Amino acid sequence: MDNMTSFQFHCNMRFTMIILLSSLLSSRHLFHTTITAVAAAEQVVCPRILFGSSASSVSEVLPDIYVNDGYCDCANGADEYATSACSGLGTWSGVGGHPQSSDDNDDSDRSLFVCSVEGTVLQSSKLNDSICDCCDGSDEIVDNASGSHDCPDTCGVLLKEREIQRKALEENFRLGYAAYVNDFEKFEQQKKLVAQELAVIDGEIKSKEFEEMFKEKKEALNKATDEYEKRNAEEYDVAYHEVISKLGLSAMSIDELEDLVVGIVYVTSTERHLQNAGKDVLGIQISDLKKRINILKREHEQDSNECDENVMNTLHEGVEESLDHYDRDMYEEEYCDYDYDLYDMDDDMVEYDLDAAEDDETSEISTCQESSEQSLGLPYVGSIGTHFKMVASNLLESGELIDSVSNALKSRIRTIEKSERSGNSARIILEIMVKESDNWNNDLIQIILSLLVDSKIGAVDFFTITSASLEEYRHSSNESLNLMCPLRFVQRNGNTSDVAIFPPDIFVKELEERCKEIDSRYTDEYDNYGNVILPTKISDGYLGYFQFVMRAIEDPMESLLSALHEQAPKSDALVTLEKEVSDIDKELSSFKEKRAAVESKIPSIPELYPFHGHVCVNFISGEYRYSICPSNQVTQHNQDAHVNDKGTKLGAYTDMTISPEDGSIMMKFENGLRCWNGVVRSAIINITCGPTHRVISAAEPETCVYHFSMESTIACNREYAIYHGIEIR
């Protein structure tokens, strides 16, 4: 063996295997032995050698010893026509197949075999594999000359079954087609009737010349309305300047106006009607504010030089926190854990822990004292609440209060905390809005007027905030936290020629009464040494803190602002035009409703006619019941749901396509109920011809995407008949 070449050894081994394999094959089929013997005299040409040292990509004559040796050498399997070694190749001709000629490199025709009776298509690897695939056994030829095989002939049974199926197919089509033709004729008849009714309605509209008349009257009304609105705008302009002049807004600086805005929000935001009004601060929604923040952040990331670094620090460090505070009615975190540098506060702050549960009247409160009078960036008016919190906290720590007093003080402290959170949000919002303003002074005045109208703040509360915002009051010798008392007057020159006097004369009476009330309370709340007397009850105004109450109708602020809402009386001509246009519009609308009602009598296409009027087909699959209404929508119900349950909308009818090949129909249903993962539910119904309307199957191939198979007469069309070779009579 040492003297043999590797090729000689390989040839001897293969020759031995051929002899063994031939003997095995001869024990089952003599035919196979005959083929092997012939192979010794024939040449097998491989279009491409697969393996071994002689692997090649060109046609090559294979040595005889490689033929039927149990190794698949040729790319088309031609060398193993007596073994199953090449059965994995799609181009293999099967056991008993013939070698391909040397000039035949196209294997496509040899890869498939068609059963002559039933037309079943087989891969060539299934030929002569001892499994009868064709009913006549033509895939298992034992003797090529005689065509003999060992398979039973089942073609008679098969053809009989096919004939039964064919008759059923034709019968179902004829039943379905008859219904299809009948529905189509009804649709065409109804369509003609609808067209006649619509023509009558259109004729009435045209005869009354509604459209021309409406156009003429509408143009006249628009012109009269423009004149009326112009007159109103002029009167509003006069009223506007009168209001801002009396309130002194035109004589205030931007810093003072900003303090006034924050002060109004601080005082009024605890009122329930404001908290429930969509969390709207300064005329913009919180969600809108967050969009503005994101825009500023993107701008800052693109070019940090174009954005104020201080504003960006405010946004990144505190705005979400402050907005979160504003959105809540109660604390969920400790009050003193926030970055107070954000609000220009002094650093010497003692921790203050306020129980978050507003309803827990027995919660413990520890003191949180501030050296700064302007708590959390609020205007000076916030010092009244700060003073109240400090004194009330000390009283609570004494442990000498009765429960009713203790609970009342805790409730007041919580109200003040809500005010501070809202004031903080207002301050941050102003810092953002000023970046987008072209005239910040005018914008601030507009914001203030809007707040005065929406918040229902009264004259006394408004001037309490105003006096705390004006330099003349804050730098006075008054030691009281409520700077407006004792009442005194300040005069300023406005931005125009007018002179502003604080407080407005129409507020004086109410302000004097408030100052008297504050003075009288002092002797009841403090002893001769200036110490707070232990209270036995807490009434409004205790320690100078008055809770916000919306203004009454008789409040002077109400009469002052009413001028902004008053409109000039409409002229008789304008009132007449409005009525005429309204009457014509009502008649036109009535005709349009009639037209729509008539049009709704038939669907847009004849295929939907059998289902018109919410005709539905029900189907149960698993735990669900499906209601399929082809002209309307598809819904899903739990089987144990109530009979009146509306179910889950899977989609509304949007479109339908008919296959030009076999006449099958596909209906699309979209815009269903949004799924848990955010996907909007949708459904597809594939419809084929049937004698009745019935659902065959339901599936959910993708989450919240539904597929249904259905039979219906609407798919029994000419395309279906032609595809299945059915003659239409």
Side-chain angles (χ1 to χ4, degrees):
M1 181 174 177
D2 295 336
N3 296 327
M4 289 185 180
T5 64
S6 59
F7 178 79
Q8 289 172 328
F9 175 73
H10 177 71
C11 289
N12 288 339
M13 289 297 294
R14 288 198 170 199
F15 184 74
T16 304
M17 291 182 67
I18 290 173
I19 295 172
L20 291 172
L21 182 61
S22 298
S23 63
L24 289 172
L25 291 171
S26 64
S27 65
R28 182 169 185 184
H29 294 300
L30 178 62
F31 169 71
H32 293 161
T33 306
T34 304
I35 293 298
T36 305
V38 173
E42 292 184 357
Q43 291 183 332
V44 175
V45 179
C46 286
R48 183 166 60 88
I49 302 296
L50 289 177
F51 309 110
S53 60
S54 61
S56 173
S57 60
V58 298
S59 298
E60 188 173 322
V61 177
L62 199 67
D64 293 343
I65 58 173
Y66 285 5
V67 178
N68 294 320
D69 62 349
Y71 291 90
C72 191
D73 297 291
C74 296
N76 60 0
D79 60 309
E80 297 298 321
Y81 51 82
T83 76
S84 59
C86 296
S87 61
L89 297 177
T91 58
W92 183 56
S93 298
V95 177
H98 294 283
Q100 297 178 14
S101 62
S102 60
D103 60 346
D104 185 8
N105 293 327
D106 184 7
D107 301 324
S108 59
D109 293 337
R110 296 178 179 271
S111 63
L112 300 176
F113 179 84
V114 181
C115 297
S116 59
V117 177
E118 64 268 49
T120 304
V121 179
L122 303 176
Q123 291 289 336
S124 60
S125 59
K126 290 193 174 186
L127 301 179
N128 296 321
D129 60 353
S130 300
I131 299 174
C132 301
D133 297 294
C134 299
C135 69
D136 60 357
S138 56
D139 59 311
E140 299 297 320
I141 300 297
V142 176
D143 187 340
N144 282 344
S146 64
S148 63
H149 55 78
D150 295 335
C151 296
D153 189 341
T154 60
C155 291
V157 176
L158 177 65
L159 293 175
K160 186 175 181 180
E161 290 177 354
R162 289 196 172 184
E163 182 63 21
I164 293 172
Q165 294 173 357
R166 177 68 182 182
K167 287 181 178 179
L169 179 74
E170 292 182 357
E171 180 62 22
N172 288 337
F173 170 76
R174 299 197 189 286
L175 292 173
Y177 184 69
Y180 172 82
V181 172
N182 185 52
D183 289 332
F184 185 84
E185 290 174 351
K186 288 181 179 178
F187 173 81
E188 290 297 323
Q189 292 172 2
Q190 190 69 23
K191 185 177 179 181
K192 290 178 181 178
L193 295 175
V194 166
Q196 292 172 3
E197 291 185 53
L198 292 177
V200 172
I201 295 173
D202 292 341
E204 289 184 54
I205 295 174
K206 187 175 181 180
S207 65
K208 294 187 177 183
E209 299 181 345
F210 277 133
E211 293 181 350
E212 293 80 2
M213 191 185 306
F214 181 79
K215 182 179 179 181
E216 179 183 342
K217 295 291 184 181
K218 188 67 176 177
E219 289 177 354
L221 176 61
N222 290 340
K223 183 178 179 180
T225 301
D226 289 343
E227 294 175 356
Y228 172 73
E229 289 178 350
K230 181 180 179 181
R231 187 167 73 254
N232 267 329
E234 292 171 351
E235 293 181 5
Y236 174 85
D237 192 53
V238 173
Y240 169 81
H241 285 92
E242 182 181 355
V243 169
I244 65 173
S245 176
K246 285 190 176 181
L247 294 178
L249 301 180
S250 60
M252 297 176 71
S253 68
I254 286 180
D255 288 341
E256 290 169 339
L257 291 173
E258 288 181 350
D259 281 354
L260 189 55
V261 170
V262 177
I264 295 173
V265 174
Y266 170 85
V267 169
T268 64
S269 61
T270 57
E271 182 60 35
R272 285 291 177 185
H273 91 279
L274 296 175
Q275 292 181 12
N276 296 331
K279 304 293 184 186
D280 196 1
V281 179
L282 310 185
I284 59 174
Q285 297 291 336
I286 290 299
S287 60
D288 198 32
L289 171 62
K290 290 181 179 178
K291 291 178 183 177
R292 294 173 182 230
I293 292 169
N294 290 332
I295 291 172
L296 287 175
K297 284 182 179 179
R298 286 197 297 271
E299 290 177 353
H300 180 60
E301 290 169 358
Q302 291 171 0
D303 188 355
S304 59
N305 296 326
E306 294 181 1
C307 192
D308 191 324
E309 192 68 30
N310 293 329
V311 174
M312 292 316 304
N313 288 337
T314 299
L315 294 174
H316 286 291
E317 295 174 14
V319 76
E320 291 293 335
E321 202 167 81
S322 183
L323 291 175
D324 195 29
H325 292 175
Y326 179 73
D327 271 341
R328 298 179 191 169
D329 291 334
M330 298 176 292
Y331 272 117
E332 291 184 3
E333 300 179 35
E334 291 184 353
Y335 178 78
C336 290
D337 284 347
Y338 307 115
D339 183 2
Y340 290 103
D341 292 338
L342 180 63
Y343 307 112
D344 301 321
M345 286 196 59
D346 293 339
D347 293 329
D348 46 345
M349 176 78 70
V350 181
E351 278 206 357
Y352 181 85
D353 185 14
L354 181 61
D355 190 346
E358 186 176 14
D359 297 331
D360 184 5
E361 299 295 348
T362 62
S363 60
E364 295 297 327
I365 300 178
S366 60
T367 59
C368 176
Q369 298 179 354
E370 311 165 39
S371 62
S372 172
E373 291 181 337
Q374 290 189 334
S375 67
L376 299 176
L378 298 173
Y380 188 85
V381 70
S383 61
I384 299 175
T386 301
H387 174 71
F388 181 94
K389 286 194 302 180
M390 182 181 65
V391 176
S393 297
N394 290 334
L395 290 172
L396 289 168
E397 284 187 345
S398 70
E400 299 177 8
L401 300 174
I402 61 176
D403 288 345
S404 61
V405 172
S406 177
N407 292 338
L409 290 177
K410 291 176 183 178
S411 177
R412 295 288 203 292
I413 289 176
R414 293 190 182 93
T415 301
I416 293 170
E417 295 299 339
K418 288 181 181 181
S419 297
E420 290 177 340
R421 294 198 297 273
S422 298
N424 296 338
S425 295
R427 181 70 75 184
I428 291 174
I429 291 171
L430 290 180
E431 290 178 0
I432 295 171
M433 292 180 72
V434 67
K435 300 296 180 181
E436 302 179 15
S437 174
D438 295 328
N439 191 330
W440 188 228
N441 187 284
N442 286 346
D443 289 347
L444 282 171
I445 291 175
Q446 291 286 355
I447 290 170
I448 291 169
L449 292 179
S450 176
L451 285 172
L452 293 180
V453 173
D454 295 338
S455 68
K456 303 290 184 182
I457 191 171
V460 174
D461 284 332
F462 175 75
F463 193 71
T464 301
I465 301 167
T466 303
S467 61
S469 304
L470 297 176
E471 292 293 327
E472 291 87 341
Y473 286 90
R474 292 177 59 182
H475 291 91
S476 67
S477 58
N478 184 14
E479 297 180 357
S480 170
L481 290 174
N482 197 317
L483 299 180
M484 71 177 185
C485 298
L487 197 63
R488 61 194 185 283
F489 294 90
V490 171
Q491 180 174 311
R492 277 189 182 184
N493 292 325
N495 295 334
T496 56
S497 59
D498 59 330
V499 175
I501 298 177
F502 302 92
D505 55 353
I506 59 174
F507 292 177
V508 171
K509 180 181 177 181
E510 283 73 16
L511 296 176
E512 286 178 341
E513 291 177 357
R514 172 61 63 86
C515 288
K516 287 179 182 179
E517 184 178 358
I518 293 174
D519 290 341
S520 65
R521 283 180 174 277
Y522 188 85
T523 56
D524 297 331
E525 297 170 359
Y526 295 87
D527 60 20
N528 294 332
Y529 301 99
N531 298 318
V532 177
I533 300 172
L534 205 65
T536 57
K537 68 175 183 176
I538 304 297
S539 57
D540 194 29
Y542 180 68
L543 299 178
Y545 176 73
F546 290 85
Q547 297 189 98
F548 173 68
V549 178
M550 291 186 292
R551 64 175 176 265
I553 296 177
E554 59 272 13
D555 191 290
M557 181 68 81
E558 185 74 17
S559 60
L560 179 63
L561 295 177
S562 63
L564 296 175
H565 305 294
E566 292 178 355
Q567 292 186 330
K570 295 180 179 179
S571 65
D572 293 340
L574 178 57
V575 172
T576 301
L577 279 172
E578 286 179 338
K579 186 177 184 307
E580 289 175 346
V581 170
S582 176
D583 291 343
I584 297 172
D585 188 50
K586 286 179 181 178
E587 284 204 66
L588 270 175
S589 298
S590 176
F591 278 112
K592 288 178 182 178
E593 289 174 3
K594 287 181 181 178
R595 209 175 193 287
V598 172
E599 288 175 336
S600 67
K601 291 181 179 181
I602 58 170
S604 56
I605 52 178
E607 282 76 13
L608 293 177
Y609 183 80
F611 304 102
H612 192 57
H614 303 287
V615 175
C616 305
V617 182
N618 293 321
F619 181 71
I620 294 176
S621 177
E623 59 183 306
Y624 297 110
R625 174 176 60 84
Y626 296 94
S627 181
I628 298 177
C629 312
S631 66
N632 187 19
Q633 65 181 24
V634 178
T635 52
Q636 181 190 62
H637 307 261
N638 287 316
Q639 283 206 56
D640 55 355
H642 190 271
V643 66
N644 294 324
D645 174 51
K646 293 183 178 179
T648 301
K649 181 181 177 182
L650 305 187
Y653 172 80
T654 56
D655 188 26
M656 185 188 81
T657 57
I658 302 176
S659 169
E661 182 182 0
D662 62 2
S664 61
I665 294 175
M666 183 180 71
M667 288 186 175
K668 292 182 180 180
F669 295 77
E670 298 176 346
N671 300 319
L673 187 67
R674 190 173 295 277
C675 202
W676 60 269
N677 61 356
V679 175
V680 177
R681 286 177 171 85
S682 62
I684 290 177
I685 303 178
N686 292 304
I687 306 174
T688 188
C689 174
T692 59
H693 311 304
R694 72 183 186 99
V695 179
I696 300 172
S697 65
E700 188 178 355
E702 299 176 40
T703 303
C704 297
V705 177
Y706 304 85
H707 286 188
F708 299 91
S709 294
M710 183 175 172
E711 284 185 355
S712 174
T713 60
I714 66 173
C716 296
N717 44 40
R718 291 183 176 275
E719 290 81 2
Y720 181 89
I722 294 171
Y723 180 79
H724 291 281
I726 301 174
E727 182 182 355
I728 298 179
R729 297 177 223 164

